[in-house]
Amino acid sequence: MTSETDLPSAPDTGDVPVPAAGWRELFSARHIAAALVLAGGVALYAMNTFVTSAVLPSAIDDIGGGQYYAWVTTAYLVASVLASMLVTRFLGALGAARAYLSAFLVFALGSFGAAFAPSMEVLLATRVLQGLGGGLLAGLGYAVIRTALPVRLWTRAAGLISAMWGVGTLIGPALGGLFAQLQFWRGAFGLIGVVALLLGLLSVRRLPAHDGENHALGRVPVWSLLLLVLAAAAFSLSSIAPVGPATAAGLGAGTLLVAGFVAVDRRTGSSVLPHITYRRGNPLKWFYLTIGVLSAGGMLEIFLPRFGQELAGMGPLLAGLFGAAISVGWSGTQILSASVDDERVVRRMMRLGPVLIAAGLVLFAVLQQPGAGPGLVWAWAGALVLAGTGIGLAFPHVSVGAMRSTDDPAEGAKAAAGVSTAQLIANSISSALVGVLVAVGGPAAEGSSATMAAGIAVLAGVGVVTISLGLRGLRRG
C-alpha cells in the first residue's frame, strides 16, 4: 500500500529515490535552451489572449467588425482546446523537435496573418490558426518535460512552465496597451510572430529529434474530440448570450456535452485522456479536476481592469496593473513552491491552495463598494494576491502528480499532455462562467464584481474536495 505522503513514482526511477535538483541545474548550459522552449511556448499562448484583449478596440476602430468582438476570444479558445487534445499524437508522429517547430510555425503564421488582416472576418480566421498553434504549444510544454529533462528536474520545470501562465497575464496587457497607445495594434501581433519563429529555431537545435517514448497512436478519437470542442463552444457562447433562458441553455448544453465526452472517451479504444483517468480508484481524474479549479481562479483577470476603472476611477494603465494582481501572487509563489521537495510539505501545499483561493476571493467580494479610495484598493489587491498565492502553491505539484500517475510510457505521455488539456478546457469554461456571473450580478459594478468573485470562490471550494480525493486515491494505490 502506498503512503499518502508518496507521489506516484516516475516511470524511469523504479524504487530508487529521485534526487532533489535545484534551479541552477535547470538553468545550466545543458538544460537552459530546452527550458526556454518549453516555458516560452506556454508564455506565448497565455500572453496572446491578453494582448488581443488590449488591442482589439483599436483593431475594430481600424477594420470594423465590432459585432464579432466576443468571437475573437471564442475562436482562439475553442481551437486551442482541439489542438491540445492532439498533442500526444503529434509527438508520436513527429518527435519533440519537429512537433515544436510545427506548432511555432502555425502560431507564427496566425500571428502574421492577424498583423495584416484587412477585415475582422480575416482576423477571426487567423485567430483560429493562433489557437491551433497555441494549443499545441501549451500541451507540448508539459508532455515534453518527460523526455527533454531528467526526472529530478520535473517539478522545477513544471513550476516554471506553470508560472508562465501568470507571467503571460502580466506582460500581455502591458504589451498590448503599449501598441494600442502607439496606434500600431498590428505591431503587437507581428512581434509575437517573430518571437514564435525564434523559439521554433531554438527548438530544432536543442530538443531531441525523437521524444524517446513509445506512443501508441491508434486512430484519432473523432467523437471524443467533437463532443469536447462542442462543449467548449457551448460554454463560450453562453457568456455572450442575453442573461436568461439562452444562458441557461448554453450552460446546460455544455454540461451535457462534457458528460457525453466522458461517456464516449472512457469506452473508446483510442481515447483523448489516459484510460487510467476513468479507472476506479485511480487519482488522475481528481488531479485533472483540481487543475481545472486552480486554472479557473486566474480567469477573473479578464474583468478586473474594468472594475478597477468603474469602482475606483483608475486610469487604463493602473487598472491593467491592478488586473494582474492574481498573477503576481501566482507567479511569485509558484517559483518558491516548485523548490519544495519534502513530500509531507507538498501534500499540505496542495490542500492549502484551493483554500487560499476561496479565502482571497471571498474577502475581495465582501470589500466591493463604489468610490473606493487607495486604502480599499490596496485591500482588494491583497485579497487577489492571496488568491493567486493559492494557485501558485498547488499548481506545480498537482501537475507533476498527474505526470507521474503511471509507469506506462504511452499513458504517462497522455497524462502529461492532459495537464494542459484540463487547463485549457477549464479556461474556456470558467471564462464563460465569469462572464455569466458578471451579468447575473446586475448593472451595478459592485454587484457584478462581488458576484463574480463569490462564484469562483464556491468553485475553489470544490477544489478542496477534489484534491483531498486525489490524495486519498494515492494512499489506496
Side-chain angles (χ1 to χ4, degrees), residues 26 31 34-35 38 144-154 157:
L26 180 63
H31 300 302
L38 271 59
V144 177
I145 285 178
R146 294 168 54 90
T147 52
L149 297 169
V151 66
R152 63 182 177 276
L153 292 177
W154 283 7

Side-chain angles (χ1 to χ4, degrees), residues 46-259:
M47 183 173 62
N48 188 50
T49 301
F50 293 92
V51 167
T52 303
S53 298
V55 303
L56 192 55
S58 298
I60 289 174
D61 288 342
D62 184 18
I63 61 177
Q67 69 272 27
Y68 298 118
Y69 191 101
W71 283 94
V72 174
T73 298
T74 298
Y76 183 72
L77 288 175
V78 172
S80 66
V81 168
L82 172 61
S84 73
M85 292 184 290
L86 298 173
V87 164
T88 302
R89 287 167 174 79
F90 221 61
L91 267 176
L94 299 178
R98 286 190 296 168
Y100 252 112
L101 176 62
S102 300
F104 278 122
L105 288 177
V106 172
F107 188 86
L109 179 62
S111 299
F112 290 131
F116 293 99
S119 66
M120 185 58 70
E121 290 82 0
V122 174
L123 182 62
L124 282 174
T126 64
R127 288 289 284 169
V128 171
L129 282 176
Q130 279 191 311
L132 292 173
L136 289 172
L137 291 173
L140 287 168
Y142 291 103
V144 177
I145 285 178
R146 294 168 54 90
T147 52
L149 297 169
V151 66
R152 63 182 177 276
L153 292 177
W154 283 7
T155 299
R156 301 292 190 275
L160 177 66
I161 290 172
S162 186
M164 291 302 102
W165 294 93
V167 170
T169 59
L170 281 170
I171 298 176
L175 181 64
L178 174 62
F179 278 97
Q181 187 72 30
L182 295 173
Q183 298 183 343
F184 185 43
W185 65 269
R186 297 179 185 274
F189 290 114
L191 178 61
I192 289 175
V194 170
V195 173
L197 288 179
L198 293 175
L199 287 173
L201 292 175
L202 186 62
S203 67
V204 174
R205 294 175 61 87
R206 297 297 183 180
L207 291 182
H210 303 286
D211 71 339
E213 297 195 330
N214 182 25
H215 297 282
L217 297 180
R219 61 180 179 82
V220 176
V222 175
W223 288 109
S224 295
L225 293 174
L226 179 62
L227 287 168
L228 204 44
V229 169
L230 288 176
F235 283 118
S236 297
L237 290 173
S238 70
S239 66
I240 62 177
V243 175
T247 301
L251 294 174
T255 302
L256 289 175
L257 286 165
V258 169

